[in-house]
Amino acid sequence: MSIEVPMTVPDRLRPLVEAVSALRAEDPAAGGRPPLVHLPDPGTSLIFRTSRAGHGDLLVMGPRTRASYHVGKDLPFCLRLRLRPGATRPLLGVPVSEVVDRVIPLGELWGASCAPLVAALRRAGGDHGLVLRHLAAALPARISADGTRRELVQAAVRALRGRTGARREPLPALARHLAVSERHLRGLFADAVGLSPKRYERIERVRKALALGRAGGRWADLATDTGYYDQSHMTAEFRTLMGVTPAAYFQGRLPALQPC
């Protein structure tokens, strides 16, 4: 499977990007490349990757509502920028709901204005620092100075993340806490995050189960720690989002691999 190596977020990108990582494949087992696993993820990322032939792509990976399992690729360079929820909509220029479960070239959203940036990234080759400097020079210019909406989105996301692992309060209560209507909160999530608040929480919860499950322990304890009603609830949700049960996933018994 692929692993992520965390990197420092450049200062100029901190208002837009919450994490930067280099993606690389683990040492492949004999007989072929390791599988490429895309986990469910409520976030949106920019990814710049190159092929052995020297071709480079700047891609938008939208929120993923279910895991997908693919035949491994030979990508010598792959850099991922995980966008902050409040910055994603203005940066892309379209509602985030339009990129859910999609991976598309950023140029499809920006048009011809994206071409100079992609050309500069390709010339940077495998230099992570230079790629980040080009992105730091180009991305902030796409964001307006009005940060009120961004702050509201980020506050809503923080509230939902903070409730993962605990019994959540009803959505109307969260809306009152943020001083907005429930309808406004739902619309805000669809536009800025791409998901409903309920779906966002489901994905965050299974991601927490994935993180804690790697340490081992009893499934019933894991269900309690991650906010499920019981073990059967966790297993059903895990199977829906991951395609296999928790036991199968952690034993490496994955669904059939698909072309990427």
Side-chain angles (χ1 to χ4, degrees):
M1 300 180 187
S2 60
I3 59 174
E4 297 192 33
V5 180
M7 300 179 64
T8 301
V9 180
D11 290 341
R12 288 197 65 191
L13 287 176
R14 288 187 183 279
L16 313 180
V17 175
E18 61 183 11
V20 174
S21 56
L23 278 68
R24 61 181 176 82
E26 295 175 334
D27 293 334
R33 299 189 186 108
L36 178 63
V37 180
H38 291 310
L39 299 177
D41 192 339
T44 298
S45 297
L46 289 183
I47 296 176
F48 179 68
R49 66 183 189 185
T50 62
S51 67
R52 291 290 179 190
H55 183 69
D57 295 307
L58 182 56
L59 305 171
V60 176
M61 177 176 278
R64 298 189 300 280
T65 58
R66 285 177 171 80
S68 59
Y69 304 85
H70 305 283
V71 178
K73 280 191 171 183
D74 187 8
L75 297 174
F77 183 94
C78 190
L79 188 69
R80 175 184 177 186
L81 283 70
R82 185 180 177 86
L83 301 175
R84 293 191 184 279
T88 304
R89 169 57 161 101
L91 183 64
L92 300 185
V94 298
V96 182
S97 56
E98 294 188 13
V99 298
V100 173
D101 289 323
R102 298 177 66 196
V103 179
I104 60 175
L106 182 60
E108 289 191 14
L109 305 179
W110 283 13
S113 65
C114 192
L117 173 59
V118 174
L121 297 179
R122 289 172 178 168
R123 289 193 298 269
D127 186 331
H128 290 84
L130 185 54
V131 168
L132 283 174
R133 286 196 291 274
H134 284 309
L135 291 169
L139 299 185
R142 307 287 301 199
I143 303 294
S144 67
D146 182 10
T148 303
R149 182 178 174 84
R150 275 182 280 155
E151 291 172 359
L152 178 58
V153 173
Q154 290 171 2
V157 166
R158 284 195 300 269
L160 290 179
R161 283 178 178 172
R163 298 188 310 173
T164 302
R167 296 291 183 263
R168 75 175 184 88
E169 61 183 333
L171 192 62
L174 175 59
R176 287 195 299 272
H177 175 73
L178 296 171
V180 297
S181 68
E182 182 181 352
R183 180 179 179 181
H184 182 74
L185 181 59
R186 292 183 185 277
L188 185 71
F189 256 75
D191 183 71
V193 180
L195 306 168
S196 69
K198 182 177 181 179
R199 176 164 278 187
Y200 181 96
E201 283 190 302
R202 289 180 69 192
I203 295 172
E204 282 287 357
R205 190 161 50 207
V206 82
R207 287 174 66 85
K208 185 172 184 180
L210 284 164
L212 295 179
R214 293 186 180 94
R218 298 174 63 247
W219 296 125
D221 293 337
L222 179 61
T224 299
D225 292 343
T226 48
Y228 292 100
Y229 293 115
D230 52 29
Q231 183 178 339
S232 62
H233 179 212
M234 180 187 71
T235 299
E237 286 273 281
F238 197 98
R239 187 196 295 271
T240 297
L241 272 66
M242 296 296 297
V244 292
T245 64
Y249 180 83
F250 290 113
Q251 290 169 10
R253 294 186 280 115
L254 306 180
L257 303 182
Q258 303 296 322
C260 190

